[in-house]
Amino acid sequence: MDARVCEHAGPTLLLKAHRAAYKVRAFMEQVTIIGTGCAGLTAALYTARANLNPLVLTGTMPGGLLTTTSVVENFPGFPEGIDGYELMTRMQKQAERFGARVRFGTVEKVELGSKPLRLTVDGEQVETQALIIATGAGHRHLGLPSEEKLEKKGVTYCATCDGALPMFRNKPLVVVGGGDSACEEALYLTRFGSIVYLVHRRDQLRASKIMAERVLGNPKIKPVWDSVVTEVLDVAKDTVTGVRLKNVKTQAESVLDCAGVFVAIGHAPNTAIFQGQLDMDDNGYLITRQGTATRVPGVFAAGDCVDHVYRQAITAAGQGCAAAIDAERYLAALAR
Ligand SMILES: Cc1cc2nc3c(=O)[nH]c(=O)nc-3n(C[C@H](O)[C@H](O)[C@H](O)COP(=O)(O)OP(=O)(O)OC[C@H]3O[C@@H](n4cnc5c(N)ncnc54)[C@H](O)[C@@H]3O)c2cc1C
């Protein structure tokens, strides 16, 4: 094995891992972890402390999704809040302290029918006895250039994470979407916003009946039916001041003033490479049983690639811990 994946220079240089290129040592891994978000790095910490010397592959986003946010206020242990990048850098440092080997590399292909399990990492082969999948999930975006430019400047994809920020307090807010997630986001945001506009492309919600009733009965939520966001305003001011809307039935355009845009049009788990080899639900989330086990012995999954309900840093970390313990027990049983 001679995988061209990168061993970066140190934990404080997390994102610089992109630029370096080192070799992975040529022997079969006991446990390989795909992903360095909260789930992957917690699994790395636990497997490292169990002397399993884990290989941890970063993918294209070292540190995972949390590195894209500024302040994390709901991760226990940080009463003042902590910068997302800083939190992930600390998690990596903690795992490395016990021997985790974090390498830059993207898994392109897996062969889970063989023993040992085989991965193709940037064109090179890695063999491993156990595998922990912690590849996360991405938020679906509206696909607007203005949305991209104003991300973290009023455009966000997580009300639980960002709703309480001062910039949104007592201000009009917009939630885009019509499913259960959008309804949950809207209800949550009523605690902070002066009013919450729920912009939906249809004339009724897709959400479950009970959730739809709650939303429609809430005096702080105002649905905006048959409408899509065509632009987030105002890129020139470098902050969100409103949205431009188009009514899909009448084609009429309008502008709605707001301080925040919460996009809640669904998530897409990063699980395409496991298609056909592991069980997934209709949306591509991995299905686990008896803890974090997948249907393939020795393959475990944790975090947002499995969890479409909670999707929080702390729940991902908890599942990463569970996957590490499951993998450790699997390897111990193999050795007996
Ligand atoms: C803007 C924003 C703000 C947030 N704020 C908060 C907050 O304040 N509090 C909170 O609790 N939660 C917050 N969240 C949610 C939190 O970030 C996620 O729940 C958490 O990151 C999930 O962790 P994870 O390890 O499952 O996945 P991720 O963090 O998504 O990590 C996935 C990892 O897998 C890697 N990967 C993917 N595919 C491959 C591959 N093929 N090969 C190798 N590696 C791969 C990626 O590069 C990445 O390292 C926020 C999310 C966003 C987007």
Side-chain angles (χ1 to χ4, degrees), residues 34-40 57-66 68-69 71-74 105-107 134-137 139 158 161-162 270 273 302-305 311-314 316:
I34 312 179
T36 50
C38 302
L57 300 166
T58 65
T60 53
M61 193 182 269
L65 265 187
L66 218 52
T68 66
T69 194
V71 187
V72 181
E73 292 181 323
N74 53 10
T106 297
V107 179
T135 48
H139 295 273
C158 178
C161 319
D162 298 333
N270 303 318
I273 53 171
D304 284 11
C305 62
R311 291 193 297 247
Q312 292 298 294
I314 190 69

Side-chain angles (χ1 to χ4, degrees), residues 5-22 36 58-63 85 92 96 102-105 122:
V5 292
C6 144
E7 177 176 13
H8 67 76
T12 53
L13 300 176
L14 195 71
L15 298 179
K16 290 189 180 169
H18 284 285
R19 285 170 217 114
Y22 296 80
T36 50
T58 65
T60 53
M61 193 182 269
Y85 182 95
Q92 180 175 332
E96 287 177 327
V102 180
R103 308 287 191 269
F104 182 70
D122 294 338

Side-chain angles (χ1 to χ4, degrees), residues 248-282:
V248 290
K249 286 190 176 155
T250 65
Q251 309 302 313
E253 287 207 353
S254 59
V255 168
L256 193 56
D257 291 340
C258 65
V261 178
F262 292 77
V263 181
I265 54 173
H267 288 78
N270 303 318
T271 55
I273 53 171
F274 310 109
Q275 196 85 44
Q277 301 190 60
L278 295 178
D279 292 339
M280 299 179 188
D281 70 11
D282 292 344

